[in-house]
Amino acid sequence: MREINYSHIAIVGFLTVGAFTEQANALPMFSQQTGMECAGCHTQIMPRLNKMGRKFAASGMTLSKKVSDINGTAGSDFISNMDINPSMLIKTKYNKTYDKPDGKGVIDTSEDSTNDGEFSPVRMATFYVGGRITENVGAIVKFGHRKEEGNSIEGKAVYAYPVTDESYLGAVFFSTASLGPFSGMEFYNTGLYKPLRMFDMKIYNNTTQKQKVGAQAASGLQVYYDRDSLFNENDHFFFTAGMYFPAQDSLVYDIGDNLLPFARIAYEYMYGDFNFIVGGFLIKGGDIVSPTEPLHIKKETYGVDFQVEGTIYEHDVTLTATYILKNDVEYSGINSDLDEYDTESRYDEGFSIQGAYSVTDDIIAKASYMHYNDKNEYRKDNLNGTESPAKTTKINVKDLDYAIGLGVDYGFTLIVPMKLAVEYAWMQPSLNRVKKYQDFMVTLTMPF
């Protein structure tokens, strides 16, 4: 478990508030700021965003009903332009796997294996504060605890300039402990940004999470352009590019030697009752060094994603798909290939598709399919550059011919609005010696 590292504060400390972090965009703080119900910015599967939610994100979280009511447009002083609110989120989780293998393909019997079932009364507890700082600046900070990462401080600040009534040009500084390089400004629901996914189970339903493209620590700076009506009144365009560093501090990495360029593009088109979105993403940069040099990362990742949202007979439907064509991540130097620092090299590809159907206003039915191909040969011993025979037992163990998932989300109010998610997945490994396995998960999410 990672303990809180107070050097993180140095990175985000100059922010009044910081990161647009996990599920913060489904919290009551933004309902209070905008004066809208949650459904104003979200699909039924919160925190996934609808068109209005994407506009709010592109504005840098600066849209405020309170400021508009008081001043008409913008206030003449700093305080009247500000709209800052707090929120809190708690998540409870039960997870039970059946015959889940370890890294060598043998059924996991270790002490912390989920094959015995695992109940976490407080899987995640997070305090958020943020919103509109000025007319063109918004931000949010998260003080959180997660069972996997321990304690963390995460931050994001956005400058959003309205070029026209239909477009924003902006810049974002972000730092996150676990949400990846696209956590600065990403608002499509394909899982490239970890919170905006369909299943809580994630690693058996969403290939960007399985391959850690939309996960892990990252701190960076990016610019973006967001525009409605690019070619006609039915379309929307989004582009962002920037540089990020794969950590929140310089304890393991040298910042200057590990800056990775990344980019994301997406185009929307509304046709009838459906909104079609197609996009692409790229991360490429870094170097390979000798085993005696400081830790380095070299990464080449690219893929495409697709999203459809609309209604069928007055029921909301959503379909998302992602194909990661290449994800080649190589760590070299001191502290490479260590679980403690999550620096094991990766070389994989994957495809996933997910669908959701609103059975009622309170109940969502979900289904998913994922294929995963782990191309890593696990032969390199980073201590001396030679092959390690023991590691070859990991070859193809993670490969999945398919993973099929089913789930139900139920939204209800008991003092506060809550979401109960029940999910199940069946995995068919590609390697004959690895037994089929299954995963069952129940999560209860409570925002305040």
Side-chain angles (χ1 to χ4, degrees), residues 94-330:
Y94 175 75
N95 189 203
K96 174 76 167 74
T97 51
Y98 301 88
D99 298 329
K100 180 182 177 181
D102 60 16
K104 298 180 180 179
V106 180
I107 293 177
D108 191 355
T109 57
S110 63
E111 184 177 339
D112 58 352
S113 170
T114 52
N115 284 330
D116 295 326
E118 179 185 54
F119 177 61
S120 303
V122 181
R123 187 74 175 191
M124 178 180 76
T126 311
F127 176 76
Y128 306 83
V129 61
R132 173 184 169 123
I133 307 300
T134 71
E135 182 179 0
N136 299 116
V137 177
I140 184 173
V141 73
K142 163 190 164 183
F143 302 90
H145 172 83
R146 292 179 61 87
K147 184 172 181 180
E148 297 89 345
E149 292 103 18
N151 302 321
S152 65
I153 300 174
E154 307 188 21
K156 166 182 162 181
V158 184
Y159 174 80
Y161 176 74
V163 180
T164 68
D165 290 341
E166 298 176 331
S167 62
Y168 287 96
L169 180 65
V172 187
F173 171 83
F174 64 93
S175 182
T176 176
S178 63
L179 304 182
F182 296 97
S183 58
M185 182 59 67
E186 168 63 26
F187 36 63
Y188 294 103
N189 299 323
T190 58
L192 196 59
Y193 171 43
K194 188 176 178 181
L196 302 184
R197 64 187 193 270
M198 197 170 292
F199 282 78
D200 285 350
M201 194 177 286
K202 69 181 185 290
I203 62 170
Y204 300 127
N205 313 96
N206 188 290
T207 193
T208 58
Q209 294 303 310
K210 175 71 173 177
Q211 298 177 245
K212 297 187 177 181
V213 176
Q216 297 183 300
S219 301
L221 181 66
Q222 66 187 106
V223 295
Y224 70 94
Y225 180 66
D226 182 83
R227 176 171 177 169
D228 281 326
S229 306
L230 180 65
F231 298 117
N232 60 58
E233 62 181 11
N234 293 322
D235 71 353
H236 182 94
F237 175 77
F238 173 73
F239 175 77
T240 185
M243 301 277 286
Y244 84 96
F245 167 66
Q248 286 192 289
D249 53 46
S250 58
L251 296 180
V252 179
Y253 293 93
D254 180 87
I255 295 177
D257 292 335
N258 289 278
L259 292 174
L260 301 175
F262 69 98
R264 201 299 193 245
I265 190 170
Y267 180 75
E268 300 179 36
Y269 189 83
M270 176 69 74
Y271 183 79
D273 293 331
F274 289 90
N275 192 33
F276 296 87
I277 304 162
V278 61
F281 49 90
L282 169 71
I283 305 171
K284 186 173 183 180
D287 295 302
I288 298 174
V289 299
S290 71
T292 59
E293 293 188 57
L295 181 65
H296 276 63
I297 180 174
K298 183 178 181 181
K299 188 168 188 175
E300 184 177 6
T301 299
Y302 53 86
V304 294
D305 54 358
F306 178 72
Q307 178 177 323
V308 182
E309 53 193 16
T311 59
I312 297 178
Y313 296 111
E314 299 183 350
H315 291 267
D316 291 340
V317 294
T318 303
L319 183 71
T320 64
T322 303
Y323 182 19
I324 296 179
L325 296 110
K326 185 176 184 179
N327 184 41
D328 189 357
V329 185
E330 186 165 355

Side-chain angles (χ1 to χ4, degrees), residues 52 80 86 89 94 124 141 193 228 277 341 369 382 398 406 412 425:
M52 180 61 205
S80 63
L89 185 140
Y94 175 75
M124 178 180 76
V141 73
Y193 171 43
D228 281 326
I277 304 162
Y341 298 110
Y369 166 88
N382 285 299
K398 298 177 183 178
L406 294 175
F412 63 99

